[in-house]
Amino acid sequence: SLRQNFAIFYQNGNCLSVVGSVNGFVSRFNTPSERMEALIPVINKLQDVFNTVGTDSIQLPQIVVIGTQSSGKSSVLESLVGRDFLPRGTGIVTRRPLVLQLVHVSGEENKRPSEDEEHAHVEEWGKFLHTKGKIFTDFDEIRQEIENETDRVTGTNKGIIDDAIHLKIYSPKVLNLTLVDLPGITKVPVGDQPPDIEVQIREMCLRYIANPNSIILAVTSANTDMATSESLKFAKEVDPDGRRTLAVITKLDLMDAGTDAHDVLMGRVIPVKLGIIGVVNRSQMDINKRKPIEEAVKDEAAFLQRKYPSLASRNGTLHLARTLNRLLMHHIRDCLPDLKTRINVMASQFQQLLNSFGEPVDDKGTTLLQIITKFAAQYCNTIEGTARNIETTELCGGARICYIFHETFGRTLDSIEPLGGLTQLDILTAIRNATGPRPALFVPEVSFELLVKKQIRRLEEPSLRCVELVHEEMQRIINHCGTQELLRFPRLHDRTVEVVTNLLRKRLPVTNSMVGNLVGIELSYINTKHPDFADASLISALVSSQEELRKQQRNRSVGPGDHGFHSVAGAETKPPKPPPGPVAQAEPHAANSEDKILGASAWKLNNWLRGTNQSSENTPAGTPPQQNSPVHSPKTSASGLHGVNLLDTATPISRKLSPREQRDCEVIERLIKSYFLIVRKNIQDSVPKAIMHFLVNFVKDNLQSELVSKLYKTDFFEDLLQESDQIGTRRTEAAEMQKALQKAGHIISEIRETHVW
């Protein structure tokens, strides 16, 4: 019965024919299972299509064979094919992944490789992808070609490489399958293998089995402990649920005497959801004697019937082939909807990419003018904020210019204090220098102008820095406007950047000059009649009122019995003698007041020259203390003249200011602060306007005309519109990929839903 079924298997190549009888065979594609059988050739066609473009972006369903070195992977594959075609030897033999496509051809179908007499009656043949359609009818030549191609890429040492060999075998004795044979898992480098050979093989295996559309065929020899299986360990990492893992136990005939694999095959040791199938491989002696695989399969069936009679129908090479065929068909059916969606999405993406590369240029003048116009429009749109591709990660274009104006520049000006860098001693020194040799009765206006101009000059540096920041941003906008059409022509791109950079560079001195003039305008005329400027008389009155208020507060702190005692005593003690003359007699009160003022001035000068810390706190306004006056106190004058050196004495660095000095400093400080705030407000408003007019708007209005005048010349057409090699290569690759995706879409669309379910 087994022999009859085996013959039917090789005659029809259909899983139903193996388990059924001859009478149960129906014509091809008449039953649901036969329609399912057509799915595997579809996947093979898709794989052929994508192999032509050299991409693995589409994860097609396939069976990946992994196992330790010398675990019998190659023997399993040869048993599935029914022919010897894989390299054999000791150590690591498979050093490149082998993508093996098994295609079933029946005797009635016209699928011969060639119509010539040499290949007219060939039933089995093979093709390699790298040989460009060359037909191999001798399977020994296939084995030799695999070895030669492996040595050609990896060398003669024992190294491995992740560059697959694609082999397609046509035979009436095979089921439709797609398998990937990977190098055997090893631990210790042998010979001249690299030290990290274990890591290389592990990464290669994980990359293939991590594909969610792949079925993992984990091969383990029966004469080893299954708990130490490296292949099952790898499968567990990427498929923890075991939904796409099938275990194969090889070398059942080599187990120690007295042991068997019943528990392993029944899944009692390590359960595997898709099942565990045991097989018996040919021994090395059988291989050396070239024992036919048909005989090996018969011997395997006899061994299973004798050793495992209850499990014989669920193990063996034939059952493995049927199981793989069934699993792959159902797996393809489950993956097909997502695969179709992915192909359609990728076809749309590559079509967009192909459109972005553009077509070959026919009319160079029109193309150049279109690119220039599009670049200028996109540059202006980026500034205006109306560009299509708006940045979401950072500010750019007009938004960043606005940030520079109102945040960076605005905060910098706000951080400049009106009186920054000025001390009361500086203000007092400026006041004294402005009066010359004569003591001033009022605060000199020149000192205010000198000091306020010094503060206004501090606004020039941040204003010029604002121009520089805007210039840098407009230079940076060029990179955001690099359209795909412009990047297609690198020389045109470089020349465009050069023209825009030169235009910005030419406008930079003009803008800096205007901004400098804005500050210079403020320095040229100090408008004390500005409506927002507080009048000096009002500030002086305010300071005087504040001083009077402080005096009243001090007087309230003195007791009622002593109120005004020192002031009256000071006024009545030795009043100054009025000068003779009718004027003095006619105006005694005026003369008295004048003498008081002169006496007070003399007292203050003497007090300042001596550097004393005395104040007129106990002296009424306009009345000098007589004991300290150099005129009325000879003793004091003598001592004062003896201690004064007018040439060598410097201005005291720290001393207590007199009330008038304090008042003058406060007046100047208030005036400077009031006027500085007006100028700062003007600068904060006028500098952005000047930058917009002389730099930003000028470049926007003249960019396109500048590009046309510099680039749109007949002599430059050929040079500027020369495509880069990279763009041409990418266009070719995108076109090939687009063509492959369209072809794949047509292949999948041919599958009707009735073929799948």
Side-chain angles (χ1 to χ4, degrees):
S1 175
L2 180 62
R3 186 174 302 176
Q4 180 184 5
N5 288 340
F6 176 74
I8 296 172
F9 165 76
Y10 277 108
Q11 179 182 355
N12 300 297
N14 191 285
C15 61
L16 288 180
S17 301
V18 176
V19 296
S21 61
V22 179
N23 296 329
F25 179 75
V26 292
S27 62
R28 188 172 177 82
F29 301 144
N30 285 340
T31 65
S33 296
E34 289 173 338
R35 291 196 294 267
M36 288 277 289
E37 183 78 17
L39 294 178
I40 297 178
V42 169
I43 297 300
N44 291 341
K45 289 180 182 179
L46 293 178
Q47 197 151 27
D48 293 340
V49 168
F50 292 114
N51 286 339
T52 58
V53 294
T55 180
D56 55 355
S57 57
I58 298 294
Q59 296 177 329
L60 298 174
Q62 58 190 3
I63 300 172
V64 181
V65 185
I66 61 172
T68 56
Q69 187 173 300
S70 301
S71 61
K73 303 189 310 302
S74 299
S75 297
V76 171
L77 293 178
E78 287 183 340
S79 299
L80 294 175
V81 176
R83 300 294 295 266
D84 291 332
F85 69 98
L86 293 176
R88 292 306 187 104
T90 58
I92 184 170
V93 178
T94 305
R95 294 184 288 133
R96 291 179 62 183
L98 175 65
V99 179
L100 178 62
Q101 295 180 1
L102 305 182
V103 182
H104 173 79
V105 291
S106 61
E108 296 82 5
E109 294 176 324
N110 186 15
K111 289 189 177 180
R112 295 294 181 265
S114 174
E115 295 297 334
D116 57 8
E117 295 182 357
E118 182 182 358
H119 299 142
H121 303 288
V122 175
E123 294 185 351
E124 296 177 296
W125 67 93
K127 288 183 179 180
F128 287 96
L129 179 64
H130 63 272
T131 57
K132 305 300 181 183
K134 181 180 178 181
I135 297 171
F136 293 84
T137 57
D138 187 354
F139 281 80
D140 291 334
E141 293 181 3
I142 293 178
R143 180 192 302 112
Q144 188 62 41
E145 180 63 26
I146 294 175
E147 294 177 355
N148 295 339
E149 182 65 13
T150 300
D151 293 340
R152 184 183 66 82
V153 178
T154 62
T156 56
N157 59 5
K158 298 296 183 180
I160 66 170
I161 189 171
D162 191 6
D163 185 11
I165 299 175
H166 293 265
L167 172 62
K168 184 179 293 186
I169 294 179
Y170 300 84
S171 172
K173 302 178 181 180
V174 299
L175 290 174
N176 291 317
L177 289 175
T178 302
L179 305 104
V180 180
D181 185 22
L182 298 177
I185 303 170
T186 185
K187 292 291 185 181
V188 181
V190 178
D192 54 357
Q193 288 181 343
D196 61 339
I197 185 67
E198 178 187 1
V199 178
Q200 292 184 20
I201 295 177
R202 173 184 172 83
E203 292 178 351
M204 182 188 299
C205 292
L206 290 178
R207 189 176 72 84
Y208 275 90
I209 64 179
N211 175 10
N213 294 335
S214 65
I215 296 176
I216 305 172
L217 189 64
V219 179
T220 304
S221 58
N223 54 2
T224 60
D225 192 351
M226 194 172 180
T228 62
S229 173
E230 289 290 334
S231 59
L232 289 177
K233 177 184 176 183
F234 282 14
K236 189 75 172 177
E237 292 183 17
V238 298
D239 184 31
D241 297 333
R243 298 182 181 275
R244 52 187 183 90
T245 302
L246 176 66
V248 176
I249 307 299
T250 61
K251 304 179 182 179
L252 290 175
D253 56 333
L254 298 181
M255 296 185 67
D256 294 338
T259 61
D260 57 38
H262 275 93
D263 292 340
V264 174
L265 296 177
M266 294 292 292
R268 296 170 183 168
V269 178
I270 296 180
V272 180
K273 286 188 178 181
L274 294 185
I276 302 175
I277 300 176
V279 297
V280 177
N281 299 332
R282 291 181 299 170
S283 65
Q284 189 62 41
M285 182 181 297
D286 295 337
I287 295 173
N288 295 335
K289 291 181 179 180
R290 304 183 70 85
K291 180 179 180 180
I293 294 181
E294 290 84 354
E295 295 183 9
V297 172
K298 295 177 185 179
D299 295 341
E300 178 192 44
F303 174 82
L304 292 175
Q305 287 289 349
R306 183 178 68 255
K307 189 72 175 177
Y308 306 96
S310 61
L311 302 176
S313 61
R314 289 180 289 171
N315 292 277
T317 302
L318 301 183
H319 181 72
L320 175 61
R322 295 194 300 268
T323 303
L324 290 177
N325 180 265
R326 175 178 54 83
L327 290 176
L328 185 58
M329 285 190 301
H330 286 82
H331 196 64
I332 291 172
R333 182 195 64 183
D334 296 338
C335 299
L336 205 56
D338 292 338
L339 185 62
K340 185 176 181 179
T341 302
R342 180 169 176 79
I343 288 177
N344 292 335
V345 170
M346 289 189 63
S348 176
Q349 293 175 350
F350 273 91
Q351 184 62 47
Q352 294 178 359
L353 181 62
L354 194 59
N355 294 337
S356 65
F357 291 143
E359 298 295 332
V361 179
D362 295 329
D363 189 351
K364 297 184 181 298
T366 305
T367 302
L368 179 60
L369 192 59
Q370 289 176 351
I371 294 176
I372 290 175
T373 304
K374 186 176 292 186
F375 173 82
Q378 190 166 356
Y379 190 91
C380 297
N381 292 337
T382 303
I383 296 177
E384 295 295 335
T386 58
R388 291 184 179 180
N389 300 325
I390 298 178
E391 287 285 342
T392 58
T393 57
E394 62 176 353
L395 293 177
C396 68
R400 189 170 184 85
I401 293 175
C402 179
Y403 181 85
I404 292 172
F405 286 159
H406 302 289
E407 297 295 331
T408 306
F409 180 60
R411 285 200 306 264
T412 302
L413 291 187
D414 291 340
S415 65
I416 299 177
E417 293 293 334
L419 300 176
L422 283 181
T423 62
Q424 285 189 336
L425 185 60
D426 296 335
I427 297 174
L428 188 60
T429 303
I431 294 174
R432 290 176 176 175
N433 288 336
T435 58
R438 297 175 301 279
L441 298 177
F442 305 100
V443 178
E445 199 171 314
V446 178
S447 60
F448 162 70
E449 289 194 7
L450 291 175
L451 294 173
V452 80
K453 286 182 179 181
K454 179 181 177 182
Q455 298 304 100
I456 292 175
R457 287 190 183 94
R458 298 169 61 202
L459 301 176
E460 184 174 9
E461 182 179 354
S463 300
L464 295 177
R465 177 58 182 163
C466 181
V467 178
E468 184 179 349
L469 291 176
V470 174
H471 175 267
E472 292 176 358
E473 178 57 28
M474 296 194 68
Q475 184 73 33
R476 198 166 68 98
I477 293 176
I478 303 175
N479 299 327
H480 289 276
C481 300
T483 60
Q484 189 66 36
E485 293 86 351
L486 189 61
L487 296 176
R488 179 182 170 188
F489 308 105
R491 295 185 182 179
L492 176 59
H493 178 268
D494 295 340
R495 287 286 292 130
T496 302
V497 173
E498 181 182 351
V499 171
V500 180
T501 302
N502 291 336
L503 179 61
L504 291 172
R505 189 181 294 117
K506 286 192 299 183
R507 298 306 302 174
L508 186 60
V510 179
T511 309
N512 283 334
S513 176
M514 183 59 198
V515 171
N517 288 337
L518 291 176
V519 180
I521 289 170
E522 298 292 345
L523 292 172
S524 63
Y525 181 66
I526 305 300
N527 183 18
T528 56
K529 289 297 183 180
H530 193 281
D532 296 335
F533 180 61
D535 190 65
S537 59
L538 297 179
I539 293 180
S540 180
L542 178 63
V543 172
S544 300
S545 63
Q546 291 179 353
E547 184 179 357
E548 186 66 26
L549 182 62
R550 287 196 297 268
K551 285 183 179 181
Q552 293 178 3
Q553 292 175 353
R554 286 198 302 268
N555 292 336
R556 291 193 188 97
S557 63
V558 181
D562 296 334
H563 181 71
F565 175 78
H566 296 286
S567 299
V568 175
E572 294 178 354
T573 303
K574 295 182 180 180
K577 186 177 180 180
V583 177
Q585 293 177 358
E587 297 178 0
H589 298 286
N592 190 27
S593 301
E594 184 180 356
D595 287 344
K596 290 181 180 180
I597 294 174
L598 294 175
S601 300
W603 168 75
K604 288 181 180 179
L605 175 63
N606 180 51
N607 194 24
W608 176 72
L609 290 174
R610 294 174 59 189
T612 59
N613 292 329
Q614 293 179 350
S615 64
S616 58
E617 207 174 288
N618 298 327
T619 305
T623 304
Q626 302 300 327
Q627 291 88 353
N628 296 333
S629 174
V631 178
H632 302 293
S633 179
K635 183 178 179 180
T636 304
S637 299
S639 62
L641 292 175
H642 179 73
V644 172
N645 187 344
L646 296 177
L647 297 179
D648 297 337
T649 303
T651 303
I653 296 178
S654 61
R655 64 182 180 83
K656 185 176 181 180
L657 300 180
S658 65
R660 179 171 179 177
E661 292 172 342
Q662 185 73 30
R663 183 185 63 189
D664 292 347
C665 288
E666 290 182 5
V667 170
I668 294 296
E669 287 177 357
R670 290 174 180 267
L671 291 174
I672 291 175
K673 185 175 182 180
S674 176
Y675 196 81
F676 180 84
L677 294 178
I678 296 174
V679 175
R680 187 175 72 180
K681 183 179 179 181
N682 294 340
I683 293 296
Q684 193 169 355
D685 178 67
S686 58
V687 166
K689 293 179 179 179
I691 295 175
M692 288 297 298
H693 177 72
F694 286 92
L695 181 62
V696 180
N697 291 341
F698 184 89
V699 172
K700 283 172 50 182
D701 297 338
N702 297 275
L703 177 60
Q704 184 172 352
S705 60
E706 185 77 10
L707 289 172
V708 171
S709 63
K710 298 293 184 181
L711 302 180
Y712 192 75
K713 297 180 180 179
T714 308
D715 299 338
F716 295 165
F717 287 174
E718 193 68 30
D719 182 59
L720 294 178
L721 295 180
Q722 185 175 357
E723 249 184 359
S724 65
D725 297 336
Q726 182 181 6
I727 294 295
T729 303
R730 292 180 62 186
R731 185 195 294 111
T732 303
E733 293 176 353
E736 292 178 353
M737 188 63 184
Q738 174 66 13
K739 185 177 180 180
L741 289 169
Q742 289 178 352
K743 189 174 181 181
H746 291 317
I747 292 173
I748 292 183
S749 63
E750 293 176 357
I751 304 174
R752 300 178 181 176
E753 294 183 359
T754 55
H755 287 172
V756 184
W757 289 278

